[in-house]
Amino acid sequence: MANRFARFRHFPVKRLISKSTRSVAGQVLVFQVALVVLLVACGVFALILQSERDTSAEATRRSTAVAQTFAHSPGVLAALRTPDPSKILQPLTEAARRAAGVDFIVVMDTEGIRYTHPLPDRIGKRFVGEIGPSLAGKVYVESVNGPLGREVQATVPIENADSEVVALVSAGMKVKNVESQLDRQLPIILGAGAGALALSTGVTALVGRRLRRQTHSLAPDEMTLMHEHHDTVLHSVREGVLIVAADGRLILANDEARRLLELPPDVEGRPVSKLPGLDPETKALLASGREATDEVHLAGERLLAVNQRPTHREGGPEGTVVTLRDSTELQAVTGRAEVARERLRLLYDAGLRIGTTLDVLRTADELARVPVPRFADFVTVDLADAVLHGEEPAPTATDMRRAAVCGIQDDHPLSEQGRLFDYLPSTPQARGYGSGRSQLVSDLPAATGWRVQDPERATAIIDYGIHSLITAPIQARGVVLGVANFWRARHHERFNEEDLSLAEELVARAAISIDNARRYTREHALAVTLQRSLLPQAMPEQNALDIAYRYLPAQSGVGGDWFDVIPLPGSRVALAVGDVVGHGLHAAATMGRLRTAVHNFSSLDLPPDELLSHLDDLVGSIDQHEAAESAAGVVGATCLYGIYDPVTRRYVMARAGHLAPALVQPDGTVTFPDVPAGPPLGLGGMPFQTAELCLAEGTQLVLYTDGLIEDRSRDLDVGMELLRDALTGHPGRAPEETCQDVLASLLPGRPKDDVALLVARTRELPPDRIAEWDVPPDPAAVAGMRDAVSQRLEAWDLSEFGFTMELILSELVTNAIRYGAGPIHVRLIRDRTLICEVADGSSTSPHLRYAATTDEGGRGLFLVSQMAERWGTRYTPQGKVIWAEQALPAALRQPVPTPADADTPPDEEAADPKTPT
């Protein structure tokens, strides 16, 4: 505020001199003298000229001047456009005539009809004189005998904006009046001019001296600015202003200062030490003259912020300028604003920190942690027990479980996390849960209803110093999920109604997140249940492969990755791995449908390429059907399907958009076989191709989904190399250990996508468990085959199955000889079951018939189906194979040696499995 007065301090003498020529006094003096001199000079000069000309010339000049002046006067054209121009122009011409000293001024139209005339009865009559030259745009002067006598008149055209003549004006004088007028005016003009010049010069000089003393030779703009600032300071600003002289007297006090300090009207001139009503410290500050910045002083019931600055800087007079500002309300408003800012900051933090996951307990814990210690000393969150399991909560506050506890100290007496409550109706928790409205208990020691729940614990809570409580129901989408309890102890004041609204806002922000987590928990539980029911519950019993597997759901929930191990006839085993794009129930359900379809197609004993073709057709039809109904087709699915034969150690596989498997050789080296890549399932149009590998015993097949190697932070090639590194250099490692090491190397944390991993170590069926014969196409060879099979069963200690197997073999070989084509080959396999296979070169499949009593044939396959555990047909590139299985008792199911037992010598007696017919 002191700076506002710096520009109004006394100016130096040098500055006064330099500014005197443009001061107010100087400008007034110069203007008046110039005006008087100009007027007198013009009058004298005009009289001299007039005296030099004759009377007619003088009249001509004056008439022409008056006519031209009136013709170009503002408003003339506008008056001519009115319906009655005479009404407007007549007063104007008469006033101009008297002012100009002419005898007449006549305005007429282009036809010469008068609009004005000194004699009103002449208005509307034709003008006396020549108007032709004036209509041509010229000024025409003539002498005529007019209504007033001998006259000298000048006619001037009146033109519009387009330079068109729209009217004429004529001014003139009687010749006899010209000379007499000059004689009368000349002495008057000369005397008046001389007197005015002398008087104005003297008066102006006196006024100028007076103004220079009073204005300090200030220019007009500086005086205006000083006045505006002075008025603003004294009457407009909301700050009190005091100017104190060097001797301690008060020179000036504005309106606000008088109000703040309650000063009397005649306070100017008094010493500041004797001002009434001022605090001694305030008086001492004003009298000292020292600088002060925002010092707070008491003035009655007000708190004033005082600033004081000296005025003698830059050559000004000694003294001080004091500004006063009432900060009483500002202090209160600042406190309330700080509280509001803190609450907004708390709500902002709640929006960021609550609901970061779809976990109910985690969200409840976040709700409990955010308000501590800024809003409450302790926070407990109680949720309906059903909410924690994703179910709908009960209508009453029973079966409430404490989901989260947080406080400024850990030794509090509040109930621990996980405890189950059945709140009584008198408690604020039960009332808030039932009504859906928050409950405020501002004085816990005086309240009684909450003590009934647990009197002993209530006493401990009060003794601990907890004095108030707010219970806010956690309500989302019209359903109350639980309650949040905010407790305050000695570190805070008691809760009030304003705190109630803040607690409700905090809980409202968390309620939606808790409800979303509850719904997610329910959906996740359903999806997990569905997926667990659709994935293999246990590995089937078989001797071809040692199996280990892992399935890890995605971080966001279950998905559509799956795997399967399917035993096939002839001791073969099918391995399948697939992936359905997406997560949730739809992906899990689609996965189950595809896995079921693979099981069904594998029961037909189809080659891998044909099975994938059937699966591709199925997915295409599913997409078309579901896209038409609900727009929720499979969207994307891949599959890898392969069949391993432990007899030949052949592994045949095909893939539909899936990643190729990894092969870990017995020596620990890793390769990725080149399997022809087919399109993903459902696209159609492209055939699938198979790849056939001959695997050494102990080779590990590693089948996986893309979630194992793909990640946002690395490329696919990087993931493949990581997988290679995790598998390389571990000869003889068990499949279970392989699974553990691969997941530890490639997935250190929880995966963001589903991961299915299947590791299968190959076994070879020992030669002593296989017997093979070539059968000539002669019905007589059937008897020899029965004897050979009987001998082999005796060598395997399975003579008790000889009759049934001989009967089955006889029917199958007889059908091959009678209806098939050569060559005919018989193979007997002892595994977990006793398997008989008859192969021939025909692709015609036999059909089971039910013969009538009069039929001579048609009963062979019926007998086979009745005596065998199961039977069927599979096709090979060379023809077909008819097979039948007989179940063996558990005591006779000899396990196949693992690769680690390969050093065990085979049975000497069964060294040569082939026996000629």
Side-chain angles (χ1 to χ4, degrees):
M1 193 67 179
N3 292 332
R4 298 180 182 175
F5 297 93
R7 62 186 306 157
F8 305 122
R9 296 168 182 160
H10 287 288
F11 297 92
V13 176
K14 183 177 179 180
R15 188 178 179 189
L16 284 174
I17 298 174
S18 63
K19 297 182 63 176
S20 61
T21 57
R22 58 186 179 90
S23 65
V24 175
Q27 291 181 5
V28 171
L29 176 61
V30 172
F31 178 77
Q32 289 183 351
V33 171
L35 180 61
V36 172
V37 171
L38 179 62
L39 291 176
V40 173
C42 291
V44 173
F45 181 74
L47 288 174
I48 294 173
L49 291 180
Q50 289 176 358
S51 64
E52 293 179 354
R53 290 183 176 83
D54 55 27
T55 302
S56 299
E58 178 64 16
T60 300
R61 188 184 63 79
R62 293 182 64 185
S63 299
T64 303
V66 172
Q68 287 180 335
T69 301
F70 193 87
H72 295 89
S73 297
V76 174
L77 288 174
L80 290 172
R81 296 190 187 99
T82 61
D84 188 5
S86 297
K87 185 178 180 180
I88 299 174
L89 295 175
Q90 178 67 11
L92 297 177
T93 56
E94 287 302 298
R97 178 180 66 80
R98 288 190 293 268
V102 296
D103 292 322
F104 69 90
I105 299 177
V106 176
V107 181
M108 69 199 80
D109 60 11
T110 56
E111 299 296 330
I113 305 300
R114 299 187 185 99
Y115 289 127
T116 65
H117 197 274
L119 301 177
D121 58 338
R122 301 292 180 176
I123 296 174
K125 297 181 180 181
R126 182 174 296 278
F127 174 72
V128 178
E130 182 66 26
I131 63 173
S134 298
L135 292 176
K138 300 179 180 179
V139 177
Y140 183 72
V141 181
E142 61 181 348
S143 178
V144 297
N145 291 319
L148 301 177
R150 185 66 180 174
E151 302 167 346
V152 176
Q153 60 185 18
T155 305
V156 177
I158 300 176
E159 299 179 348
N160 59 12
D162 297 329
S163 300
E164 296 178 356
V165 178
V166 297
L168 304 174
V169 60
S170 178
M173 297 181 62
K174 292 184 291 184
V175 175
K176 65 179 182 179
N177 292 335
V178 175
E179 184 176 357
S180 61
Q181 185 176 1
L182 290 174
D183 296 338
R184 291 193 302 269
Q185 290 179 353
L186 183 59
I188 296 173
I189 292 176
L190 292 176
L197 179 60
L199 179 62
S200 62
T201 302
V203 172
T204 301
L206 294 176
V207 172
R209 291 180 62 187
R210 181 80 175 181
L211 286 176
R212 276 195 296 272
R213 287 198 307 268
Q214 294 182 352
T215 62
H216 301 287
S217 299
L218 291 176
D221 57 342
E222 292 178 324
M223 293 183 64
T224 302
L225 183 62
M226 184 180 70
H227 174 74
E228 291 177 353
H229 278 251
H230 185 270
D231 186 75
T232 300
V233 169
L234 292 183
H235 305 290
S236 302
V237 297
R238 293 295 304 274
E239 291 184 354
V241 178
L242 302 175
I243 299 180
V244 182
D247 57 359
R249 290 181 299 106
L250 181 63
I251 298 176
L252 182 143
N254 72 340
D255 298 343
E256 185 69 8
R258 295 174 184 270
R259 185 186 70 84
L260 294 176
L261 300 178
E262 298 179 357
L263 299 176
D266 57 346
V267 72
E268 282 86 354
R270 295 186 186 183
V272 293
S273 60
K274 296 182 179 180
L275 293 179
L278 289 186
D279 183 79
E281 293 184 2
T282 306
K283 292 181 180 180
L285 173 62
L286 298 180
S288 66
R290 63 178 176 83
E291 291 191 9
T293 303
D294 288 336
E295 291 189 9
V296 179
H297 290 264
L298 186 63
E301 296 181 355
R302 295 186 178 94
L303 291 177
L304 301 182
V306 181
N307 292 273
Q308 183 167 269
R309 294 291 185 274
T311 61
H312 55 76
R313 297 177 180 175
E314 300 180 2
E318 292 188 359
T320 56
V321 174
V322 181
T323 61
L324 310 171
R325 186 175 64 255
D326 190 355
S327 62
T328 307
E329 295 181 358
L330 182 60
Q331 294 287 343
V333 171
T334 302
R336 290 194 296 269
E338 184 63 29
V339 172
R341 282 195 297 270
E342 181 61 28
R343 293 189 174 188
L344 289 176
R345 192 177 299 113
L346 178 60
L347 292 176
Y348 176 77
D349 292 343
L352 294 178
R353 295 168 54 186
I354 298 177
T356 58
T357 65
L358 288 174
D359 184 87
V360 175
L361 290 177
R362 176 70 178 274
T363 306
D365 183 69
E366 292 169 348
L367 172 59
R369 291 183 180 277
V370 168
V372 177
R374 290 183 287 178
F375 178 68
D377 295 312
F378 301 94
V379 178
T380 59
V381 180
D382 301 330
L383 298 176
D385 196 47
V387 172
L388 300 176
H389 300 89
E391 302 172 359
E392 294 292 332
T396 58
T398 57
D399 292 334
M400 301 286 292
R401 191 173 296 278
R402 180 139 295 175
V405 180
C406 184
I408 57 176
Q409 294 178 349
D410 296 333
D411 59 347
H412 57 80
L414 300 174
S415 298
E416 68 280 0
Q417 182 178 357
R419 183 176 177 181
L420 194 64
F421 295 92
D422 287 332
Y423 282 113
L424 299 177
S426 62
T427 60
Q429 289 84 357
R431 294 196 304 269
Y433 188 94
S435 64
R437 294 189 295 271
S438 300
Q439 303 295 315
L440 170 62
V441 184
S442 58
D443 191 357
L444 278 176
T448 58
W450 70 285
R451 294 172 176 265
V452 181
Q453 182 71 33
D454 191 344
E456 183 178 351
R457 189 176 295 274
T459 302
I461 290 175
I462 295 174
D463 294 340
Y464 190 80
I466 298 177
H467 52 66
S468 57
L469 164 69
I470 288 180
T471 296
I474 302 174
Q475 187 173 1
R477 300 180 178 93
V479 178
V480 179
L481 308 174
V483 292
N485 306 298
F486 301 90
W487 310 81
R488 277 188 178 178
R490 303 183 186 93
H491 300 82
H492 285 89
E493 297 180 355
R494 298 181 184 274
F495 283 119
N496 53 37
E497 293 294 334
E498 294 184 359
D499 296 324
L500 194 65
S501 61
L502 178 59
E504 291 174 346
E505 182 67 23
L506 281 172
V507 173
R509 293 179 179 240
I512 295 297
S513 298
I514 291 177
D515 189 54
N516 290 339
R518 176 185 69 87
R519 293 170 180 264
Y520 171 77
T521 300
R522 179 176 59 187
E523 180 180 347
H524 182 74
L526 292 175
V528 168
T529 301
L530 175 63
Q531 188 182 43
R532 287 177 178 175
S533 64
L534 296 177
L535 286 174
Q537 303 300 312
M539 289 294 99
E541 295 182 354
Q542 46 81 31
N543 291 333
L545 298 167
D546 294 328
I547 301 293
Y549 63 92
R550 291 289 187 277
Y551 176 79
L552 298 179
Q555 190 174 7
S556 59
V558 296
D561 291 12
W562 59 279
F563 65 93
D564 213 340
V565 179
I566 307 171
L568 297 178
S571 297
R572 296 168 303 133
V573 176
L575 301 177
V577 174
D579 185 4
V580 176
V581 175
H583 298 89
L585 290 174
H586 179 72
T590 304
M591 174 270 291
R593 298 168 72 176
L594 295 183
R595 180 170 175 261
T596 302
V598 170
H599 264 275
N600 293 334
F601 291 140
S602 64
S603 65
L604 301 177
D605 213 346
L606 299 176
D609 55 342
E610 293 185 21
L611 185 141
L612 291 182
S613 297
H614 287 290
L615 196 62
D616 179 66
D617 295 338
L618 174 64
V619 172
S621 64
I622 291 176
D623 277 339
Q624 293 178 1
H625 178 69
E626 293 191 355
E629 292 186 353
S630 61
V634 175
V635 178
T638 64
C639 183
L640 172 66
Y641 183 81
I643 299 175
Y644 175 69
D645 188 348
V647 177
T648 61
R649 293 184 286 106
R650 295 283 181 178
Y651 180 60
V652 182
M653 57 182 163
R655 61 185 178 124
H658 204 83
L659 298 170
L663 296 182
V664 183
Q665 304 297 334
D667 59 358
T669 59
V670 178
T671 59
F672 293 93
D674 185 13
V675 182
L681 298 175
L683 297 182
M686 296 293 293
F688 297 98
Q689 301 180 20
T690 61
E692 183 173 346
L693 304 175
C694 183
L695 305 180
E697 187 177 14
T699 301
Q700 290 191 7
L701 292 166
V702 181
L703 284 67
Y704 50 91
T705 56
D706 56 1
L708 180 68
I709 60 174
E710 286 187 349
D711 190 84
R712 294 180 180 177
S713 60
R714 67 188 182 211
D715 295 334
L716 179 63
D717 295 340
V718 176
M720 297 291 286
E721 289 302 319
L722 291 176
L723 178 60
R724 182 191 299 273
D725 295 340
L727 295 174
T728 302
H730 300 281
R733 184 169 57 180
E736 188 68 25
E737 296 176 357
T738 301
C739 287
Q740 295 177 0
D741 294 344
V742 167
L743 293 182
S745 300
L746 276 74
L747 299 175
R750 188 174 180 181
K752 296 181 180 180
D753 193 9
D754 295 359
V755 175
L757 176 62
L758 181 63
V759 179
R761 185 171 60 183
T762 61
R763 294 183 180 181
E764 181 182 8
L765 198 64
D768 60 344
R769 297 195 179 190
I770 304 171
E772 297 181 274
W773 300 272
D774 291 325
V775 181
D778 184 1
V782 176
M785 281 302 309
R786 286 200 296 266
D787 293 340
V789 168
S790 178
Q791 295 176 10
R792 176 54 58 187
L793 292 179
E794 288 181 2
W796 287 344
D797 294 330
L798 299 176
S799 300
E800 56 184 293
F801 299 95
F803 176 76
T804 303
M805 184 55 66
E806 289 178 14
L807 182 58
I808 293 173
L809 182 66
S810 298
E811 293 296 333
L812 296 181
V813 172
T814 301
N815 284 338
I817 294 174
R818 297 178 62 180
Y819 305 109
I824 300 173
H825 187 77
V826 175
R827 185 168 65 176
L828 193 64
I829 302 173
R830 179 186 178 181
D831 195 10
R832 305 188 69 86
T833 60
L834 188 58
I835 305 168
C836 175
E837 296 180 347
V838 177
D840 66 81
S842 172
S843 298
T844 303
S845 176
H847 295 281
L848 177 65
R849 293 193 307 165
Y850 298 94
T853 55
T854 57
D855 291 339
E856 295 183 359
R859 298 178 177 82
L861 288 180
F862 177 75
L863 292 176
V864 171
S865 66
Q866 294 297 314
M867 295 182 178
E869 181 74 17
R870 58 175 184 162
W871 73 282
T873 304
R874 72 171 180 271
Y875 295 94
T876 65
Q878 294 79 23
K880 67 176 181 296
V881 175
I882 309 297
W883 55 269
E885 292 184 2
Q886 278 188 280
L888 295 177
L892 300 177
R893 296 176 185 174
Q894 298 180 3
V896 176
T898 63
D901 302 329
D903 296 337
T904 304
D907 189 1
E908 293 288 343
E909 187 176 350
D912 185 9
K914 294 187 178 181
T915 303
T917 54

